[in-house]
Amino acid sequence: MFTFIVTCYNQANVVLYALESIRFQIEQYGQGQDFQLLVTDDGSTDGSCRVISQWMEQNQSLFGKMDRLFRRENAGICVNYVEALRQVEGEHFMVLNGDDLLSPYNLFEITRKLDTYDMVCTAFMKFTGHGEMITTHQTYLEVVLQHFIRGKTLYNCIRMGCPVMGTALFRRELLTEEVFDFILKFRTVNDRACFQKIFEENRELKVCYVNRQIILYRISGGSVSNFNSPGRLLHNREIAQLCRIGRKKEKSALFRLVSVWQEKSVVFRSANSRLVRLLRFCSPYFAVMFALTVVHFREIRQMERDLVDPHWEDCTRYYQDMKVRCQQMEQMPI
């Protein structure tokens, strides 16, 4: 069984895109497999639960098991994330935010790499609310750098509090109660808290990177990736908290010092002034990025082109197809 998890909060106008992208993956690439769908809603007040329930009723035949985890009151993404992970029955699973889409490429081809690796890091492509893919190559520098941050380098980056992992697929067996308890200390940094605790408990993980979009990320005003979003300040405070927690168990004085440096750089990321925010580049994270970029400059630039140029038009057409499908579903009688 393969498990899809969708997390939603007040995304009634876009959550159909996420659900339809799952249907596309199953119909296009999932022949002969059994699927579980877990949808969490964090107390939405915009009718998201109605939209989700209607879609699930219309697509029951796609899944061997379907679960709705709808909360009456907002508790934060971390609570919903953990509640869903506790109910994963598939050997492999994928978590998708309610405002994003799975890409048009074969997800299951990538998850098969988990037979060899403990964790598979993948790429993504960003798009605007109008469906325009962001094609500037340098936008994806942090994505392709995952190819070079592995082994001891990866472990040391996590010790320094550096956010070096984006979208990742990993084995369910890595999800322990200790990992769940750690994630629940926060409200917004579910992925980073999860990765930090997993690597704290498993220092010899085999990790690889696949330079292919697995998710299309919607850039919106409410996203924590937006400097002006309401949740950005809390998100940055929790990043600093992750640094402090990791530092308590760190024995090396050098790594403790670097972790303090990384923590303090959060102040610059939270600033309203663009000029002040530029100071975030004076952090251990960007020092690592700069060093790797210098050493692997040509390969990185080629990987950025390989990620964007052959695929952005396919992703654009795919998004427009999803838009038509969602519009047709919205017009169907309840």
Side-chain angles (χ1 to χ4, degrees):
M1 179 176 283
F2 186 98
T3 300
F4 290 100
I5 298 173
V6 178
T7 61
C8 178
Y9 177 62
N10 283 341
Q11 292 161 337
N13 60 328
V14 293
V15 70
L16 278 180
Y17 288 79
L19 296 169
E20 281 296 297
S21 72
I22 291 174
R23 180 157 77 99
F24 176 88
Q25 285 288 325
I26 293 174
E27 293 177 343
Q28 194 76 12
Y29 308 114
Q31 292 80 8
Q33 296 190 62
D34 194 17
F35 298 97
Q36 176 190 18
L37 176 65
L38 288 163
V39 185
T40 75
D41 183 84
D42 196 17
S44 292
T45 57
D46 67 344
S48 293
C49 294
R50 177 186 58 79
V51 173
I52 293 167
S53 296
Q54 181 181 353
W55 188 93
M56 293 176 74
E57 290 170 5
Q58 293 170 344
N59 293 276
Q60 293 183 55
S61 61
L62 295 175
F63 303 94
K65 184 174 177 57
M66 303 176 79
D67 296 283
R68 299 175 179 87
L69 305 175
F70 293 171
R71 299 184 62 85
R72 292 186 177 181
E73 297 181 358
N74 181 264
I77 181 61
C78 290
V79 171
N80 288 271
Y81 185 68
V82 169
E83 286 183 351
L85 292 181
R86 290 184 190 277
Q87 297 195 39
V88 169
E89 295 187 11
E91 179 181 355
H92 299 151
F93 66 95
M94 177 75 198
V95 182
L96 182 66
N97 292 331
D99 58 346
D100 299 326
L101 294 81
L102 294 175
S103 79
Y105 306 114
N106 191 339
L107 166 65
F108 311 116
E109 185 177 64
I110 295 176
T111 56
R112 282 195 286 271
K113 290 184 177 292
L114 290 173
D115 295 337
T116 304
Y117 296 93
D118 300 299
M119 185 174 289
V120 180
C121 300
T122 65
F124 55 81
M125 180 163 279
K126 297 180 180 180
F127 69 97
T128 68
H130 300 292
E132 297 175 357
M133 299 297 147
I134 297 176
T135 58
T136 306
H137 294 153
Q138 289 74 20
T139 300
Y140 302 100
L141 171 62
E142 295 176 71
V143 179
V144 301
L145 279 177
Q146 293 176 101
H147 175 69
F148 305 96
I149 302 176
R150 53 192 173 191
K152 189 175 181 180
T153 302
L154 173 59
Y155 177 64
N156 286 337
C157 283
I158 292 173
R159 289 171 68 187
M160 291 187 292
C162 296
V164 294
M165 304 186 74
T167 305
L169 303 166
F170 53 91
R171 296 182 179 181
R172 185 183 61 171
E173 64 197 46
L174 296 176
L175 294 172
T176 64
E177 285 301 317
E178 288 76 16
V179 172
F180 293 150
D181 290 342
F182 187 71
I183 297 170
L184 290 173
K185 296 177 184 290
F186 308 93
R187 282 185 62 90
T188 67
V189 291
N190 53 310
D191 286 339
R192 287 184 58 171
C194 183
F195 294 147
Q196 181 167 318
K197 190 63 177 179
I198 284 176
F199 276 92
E200 178 185 306
E201 296 186 348
N202 306 272
R203 299 189 179 185
E204 303 298 327
L205 288 183
K206 294 176 63 178
V207 180
C208 75
Y209 169 71
V210 177
N211 197 39
R212 175 62 62 86
Q213 301 90 339
I214 200 62
I215 287 181
L216 304 183
Y217 276 130
R218 187 186 303 271
I219 304 302
S220 64
S223 170
V224 293
S225 61
N226 186 324
F227 283 109
N228 298 314
S229 68
R232 180 75 183 190
L233 187 60
L234 174 60
H235 185 73
N236 284 333
R237 285 201 300 265
E238 292 192 334
I239 290 174
Q241 185 181 349
L242 279 170
C243 291
R244 290 193 295 273
I245 291 174
R247 193 161 59 245
K248 289 180 180 178
K249 299 181 179 180
E250 180 55 58
K251 297 180 180 179
S252 166
L254 175 60
F255 277 97
R256 287 199 300 271
L257 178 62
V258 174
S259 177
V260 171
W261 179 15
Q262 180 65 30
E263 176 191 342
K264 299 307 179 184
S265 72
V266 170
V267 176
F268 303 129
R269 291 198 297 272
S270 304
N272 293 323
S273 168
R274 289 186 178 182
L275 182 61
V276 174
R277 286 205 301 268
L278 288 175
L279 294 175
R280 74 186 187 278
F281 293 108
C282 301
S283 71
Y285 175 43
F286 285 99
V288 170
M289 289 177 58
F290 178 76
L292 290 172
T293 302
V294 170
V295 173
H296 304 284
F297 182 79
R298 291 186 178 180
E299 189 174 356
I300 286 170
R301 288 294 173 255
Q302 185 59 51
M303 290 180 68
E304 290 171 340
R305 290 191 292 268
D306 292 343
L307 178 63
V308 175
D309 294 347
H311 304 297
W312 73 268
E313 291 181 329
D314 287 341
C315 290
T316 299
R317 285 192 292 268
Y318 169 75
Y319 178 85
Q320 295 304 325
D321 289 343
M322 288 292 107
K323 184 176 181 179
V324 172
R325 290 171 65 160
C326 292
Q327 288 173 342
Q328 291 173 344
M329 293 203 67
E330 290 171 349
Q331 295 171 1
M332 293 175 63
I334 299 176

